[in-house]
Amino acid sequence: MKKTSIQQENAIRAKEIIDKNKGNIMMKDLADNMGYSLKYLDRCFHNVFGNSMKSYAVSVRMEHAIKLLYLGATDRIYEELGFYDQAYFIRQCKKYTGMTPSQLRLMRKSA
């Protein structure tokens, strides 16, 4: 088995932490807790996974949001997911899925 590089190990560890926190973690805090600069850790992550840690964290958080919406989560879901406010969550949801949270909930009901 090929030995993995330190960069790969750091990227994998960062991904695991993001996944564990369901994307709701500040990238600066993640880097600080791992003992690296944000720039270095994000470069490692990008080299291994092809996108930034922040971009990945948003996708993880939105995937979690979609699951909760399909399960019938309330309008206050944005607080649980760590979004600034409801309007920001709606914009992110629309950007990520093409639909508002209400539209996603309606899809669930009609399915």
Side-chain angles (χ1 to χ4, degrees), residues 27-41:
M27 297 305 108
K28 177 78 170 109
D29 293 343
L30 172 60
D32 287 347
N33 289 337
M34 287 183 64
Y36 296 105
S37 73
L38 177 57
K39 187 175 180 177
Y40 169 78
L41 191 57

Side-chain angles (χ1 to χ4, degrees), residues 6-21:
I6 297 296
Q7 283 191 356
Q8 288 173 315
E9 290 174 15
N10 288 333
I12 291 167
R13 188 166 157 228
K15 182 182 180 299
E16 289 170 349
I17 292 168
I18 291 169
D19 289 340
K20 179 182 172 199
N21 287 282

Side-chain angles (χ1 to χ4, degrees), residues 65 67-77 80 101 105 108:
K67 287 177 190 170
L68 292 175
L69 288 167
Y70 282 150
L71 293 173
T74 67
D75 290 334
R76 311 275 320 164
I77 186 177
E80 179 182 335
R105 271 196 297 272
R108 177 191 73 83

